[in-house]
Each structure stands twice: as structure tokens, then as C-alpha cells.
Amino acid sequence: MRTMRTNVFAGGAVDWDRRLFDSLIPLPDGTSYNAYLVRGSEKTALIDTVDPAKAEVLMEQLADVENLDYLVAHHAEQDHAGCIPLVLAKYPLAKLITSPKGKTLIVDHLHVDEKRITTVGDGETISLGDRSLRFIHTPWVHWPETMTTYLAEEKILFTCDFFGSHLATTDMYAHDKERVYEAAKRYYAEIMMPFRHAIRNNLEKLNGLSIDIIAPSHGPAYDNPSFIIDAYKDWISDDPKNQVVIPYISMHGSTRLLVERLVGSLAQKGITVFQFDLAATDLGKLAIAMVDAATIVLGTPTVHVGPHPAVLYAAMLANALRPKAAFASVVGSYGWAGKAVEQIAAALPNLKVELLPPVICKGLPLAKDFDSIEALSGAIFEKHKARGLVQ
Ligand code: FEO
């Protein structure tokens, strides 16, 4: 483990080669599972463990740690909690500290003996002697049981997934700001965005704390906490930006022609557009683009009457991530008949969006179809202007 502060150590494992998380989320830059050891004058605590795939790394780091009094579990997901049984087996007297909801989930997911678990309420503190750990419940980042730990004597906040980034790096701190910002925004977009209202409450809860270091359990720590706190405040705000996201796919070129015309027209009006061909898109980048966009336009050809499955998947992803977009529409094409618009609209029940008139053409687009694209572009511009988004 590496020394973060006197008797505070950063350990865990860097997973350089992992490319998929939860069998769903792309990890272009790998990830890390951070664990922290805090030694007080009387007691020692380990904060979080690592993914079971990296159990050996953690257990080697603990080889010289003779006694462990507390193991803090912020979150029951296996990438942090998966090695709890191993650690508890190594230290038979250690207590597992978690939130009440964490206890239920850890028993369910890891079959930990309930007698080993001590639950802590929001704001409760345990003493390590000359240091203390205060537990702050921060639910829905991104499960219901999540909490953070504040080490007041060192002004360190341990946050697990909250403020984390999927980034494999040897840097202890986030000094490569551009790279960490993108990785943290990707992480926020993929798992935190659906809970942005809960995150707002959690950020308010942290307001009263004096924080020198934020130490998450993925990616580097922050020795300039305002960098990531301000980023989160921006991402969770209710105000979208003057941006349009267009995930689309094209089978024979018609939908692509509509999308390209729309992108060009919106750009002419000063609107920033993110165009994603779903045949070759990193879905994490699509998720990032959805964090701020005011409008989402899905582009689809027609496959057996409905939308292309890849576009339906993108719609389902948007519906699950619940971005702050205020407007949506569909452009696309069909061969002989189609219900793509209806099926895409039905896939977006969670989005609080106003649906703008779709543009669907039969076969190759004609001049009148491009006129309809111009009308859609104009409608998007007017909506953005009415929201005060256009400079
Ligand atoms: Fe990093 Fe939700 O686990």
C-alpha cells in the first residue's frame, strides 16, 4: 500500500486490462478497485475491498497487517465487497461496518454471517483512538445502501463509487485533469445519472465538511476536491446545454442522409451536435453526451416494421439513464411500412421530454423530406432559444 497521509494508506488493485464492467459498461481505460487502511492509536480499519478477480493483490497487501478491527463496506456491489468474506476469514475478530441496508444486501449477495456485521446510522462515529471514522449515508450512488466515511483528523472523505472514475493509472491523485474529467463523467453518466436528484441531496450533506482529499474506490483520489465536486454540480443541474445527441444507424444510406442533413443544419444554427453511428459506437461516449444535451434525436431505418434493434437499444439505454434532455425526436426511413416512431416513443417512458415532429421518409429521401429535416432543425432551435440555451 502507498502512504496517503501518516497512517493512512491507499491500496487495492489496478485492473489495467478489464474492458467490460457488469457485462455492460465499456472500460476503454481499465479501472481500479481502491481499498484504504487507516491505523489509529488503538484500532485499525480497512475501507472497502477489491473485486474478487484481484483478491490476491489485496491479500498480499494485508500480509503485514496483523490485526484488523473494522472492515468498512460502503457498498455491497462485488467490485468492492467481493473480498469481504476473505478478509473476515483472515481476521476472525474484525467487525464489518456498513449501513442497515448494506447489511441486508451483503448477506444476500455474499452470504456473510450476520453476527459479523455492525450497522451504523447516518452521522455515527467510531473511534480508532487518535482518529475517528464518521459514516455519512449517501444513498443511491448508485445503490440504496451506499455511504461514505469521513476521517475528520485528516479531512479525507472516502466515497467508494461516488466521485469515482474507471481509470487505470499509477497516479495517486487526479493531476491529469482532462483525462480524469472524461473518465469521471463517463462513470457518472453510466451509473449515477439516473439518481441525480439523490446526488444533489448527498452533495448538500457534504457541504458542512472540510475536505482536503476525496478518496473514491475507482480511479485516482482528488487532492483538489472542488475539481470533482464542481463537475458533479454541473452534471446534476437541471439546466441542459445547447446540444443535440443523435444516435443512429443506417442500413442502405437513407437514414444517414437525413442525419447528416440535420447535423449540418443544427451546426449552422450554432447548436453543438454529437453524431453517433451505433454500428461502431462506444456506448460510454454516447452516455457522456447525454449528460448535458437538451435534445435527443434517434435515427433509424425500419426492420420488420419496427426500429433497428440497435436504435431500440440506444432508446432503452437513454430511458434507463434518465438524462435531463427536454426534447426528443426520431428521423428515419422505411421500405414499405413502418411503426418505428411509435415503438421508439414507447421505449422512453422515463424521459420527461417533449416529442418534436419526426421525419420519416419512404426509401431514399426526397427534397420534401429534407425540407422536413430543416423544419425539425428549426423547431429544435426555437425550443432551445425558448429555454434560453442559445447564446
Ligand atoms: Fe464500483 Fe457500484 O461498484
Side-chain angles (χ1 to χ4, degrees):
M1 289 197 177
R2 297 160 74 186
T3 301
M4 184 169 245
R5 290 279 176 92
T6 304
N7 285 331
V8 180
F9 304 94
V14 179
D15 200 338
W16 295 92
D17 301 324
R18 188 165 179 178
R19 287 293 171 266
L20 199 61
F21 195 84
D22 288 348
S23 301
L24 173 69
I25 296 169
L27 300 179
D29 300 308
T31 190
S32 68
Y33 322 107
N34 307 336
Y36 299 93
L37 190 76
V38 182
R39 288 186 185 277
S41 57
E42 294 172 17
K43 309 264 189 191
T44 299
L46 179 69
I47 296 177
D48 288 327
T49 71
V50 300
D51 190 280
K54 295 291 180 185
E56 282 178 21
V57 178
L58 178 67
M59 298 317 282
E60 194 176 319
Q61 290 168 355
L62 294 175
D64 297 332
V65 179
E66 286 184 9
N67 297 309
L68 190 73
D69 301 282
Y70 301 113
L71 170 55
V72 177
H74 286 135
H75 178 27
E77 196 168 7
Q78 287 82 347
D79 52 322
H80 311 291
C83 289
I84 286 174
L86 273 178
V87 175
L88 291 182
K90 176 175 167 66
Y91 303 103
L93 299 178
K95 290 179 178 171
L96 182 68
I97 305 291
T98 191
S99 66
K101 283 183 180 160
K103 176 178 178 177
T104 305
L105 288 169
I106 286 167
V107 169
D108 288 345
H109 289 276
L110 297 158
H111 297 176
V112 169
D113 182 352
E114 288 190 34
K115 291 194 285 294
R116 300 292 304 270
I117 303 176
T118 299
T119 62
V120 286
D122 187 19
E124 199 170 329
T125 298
I126 62 170
S127 173
L128 305 180
D130 60 349
R131 280 134 191 260
S132 58
L133 302 177
R134 191 199 312 174
F135 305 103
I136 301 165
H137 288 192
T138 46
W140 296 110
V141 288
H142 57 122
W143 283 16
E145 86 292 12
T146 45
M147 67 175 195
T148 57
T149 297
Y150 183 57
L151 176 58
E153 293 78 7
E154 298 292 344
K155 300 182 180 177
I156 301 175
L157 186 69
F158 301 98
T159 58
C160 199
D161 280 344
F162 197 15
F163 303 122
S165 61
H166 281 313
L167 186 60
T169 174
T170 52
D171 294 347
M172 182 179 289
Y173 293 109
H175 291 166
D176 187 346
K177 287 201 163 36
E178 206 170 308
R179 192 158 178 251
V180 176
Y181 183 91
E182 166 137 357
K185 189 170 186 180
R186 171 187 284 266
Y187 194 57
Y188 165 84
E190 289 165 340
I191 67 165
M192 301 287 177
M193 186 154 62
F195 311 111
R196 64 191 180 88
H197 298 296
I199 291 173
R200 184 170 300 147
N201 295 337
N202 289 334
L203 287 174
E204 281 172 13
K205 265 180 135 170
L206 303 182
N207 270 342
L209 298 180
S210 174
I211 303 171
D212 283 351
I213 295 172
I214 287 178
S217 291
H218 292 294
Y222 305 89
D223 55 1
N224 175 14
S226 61
F227 165 69
I228 192 67
I229 290 174
D230 290 348
Y232 261 70
K233 284 179 181 167
D234 181 36
W235 301 335
I236 65 163
S237 84
D238 288 331
D239 303 321
K241 294 189 166 63
N242 188 27
Q243 298 175 1
V244 177
V245 180
I246 309 181
Y248 78 101
I249 210 158
S250 192
M251 290 161 64
H252 300 293
S254 297
T255 299
R256 182 187 304 279
L257 287 170
L258 296 178
V259 165
E260 288 175 349
R261 178 62 70 95
L262 180 59
V263 171
S265 178
L266 291 167
Q268 283 282 346
K269 295 177 174 65
I271 296 173
T272 300
V273 189
F274 298 96
Q275 175 184 331
F276 293 100
D277 181 349
L278 293 168
T281 286
D282 168 353
L283 290 175
K285 283 202 176 286
L286 173 60
I288 291 172
M290 286 198 282
V291 170
D292 298 317
T295 299
I296 300 170
V297 178
L298 294 128
T300 186
T302 299
V303 180
H304 301 314
V305 184
H308 191 288
V311 180
L312 197 53
Y313 183 78
M316 291 170 71
L317 187 69
N319 188 61
L321 297 181
R322 283 182 266 162
K324 66 183 82 161
F327 312 103
S329 191
V330 180
V331 301
S333 58
Y334 65 95
W336 54 92
K339 296 227 175 270
V341 173
E342 293 88 332
Q343 291 186 22
I344 288 176
L348 300 170
N350 291 342
L351 299 196
K352 307 283 182 272
V353 290
E354 177 184 348
L355 285 170
L356 303 178
V359 179
I360 304 295
C361 68
K362 185 175 185 187
L364 270 176
L366 298 165
K368 68 180 176 58
D369 301 310
F370 290 122
D371 289 346
S372 298
I373 287 289
E374 290 298 334
L376 175 58
S377 168
I380 291 170
F381 177 78
E382 290 303 327
K383 292 292 181 186
H384 284 205
K385 197 170 156 191
R387 290 278 304 236
L389 306 178
V390 176
Q391 299 300 317

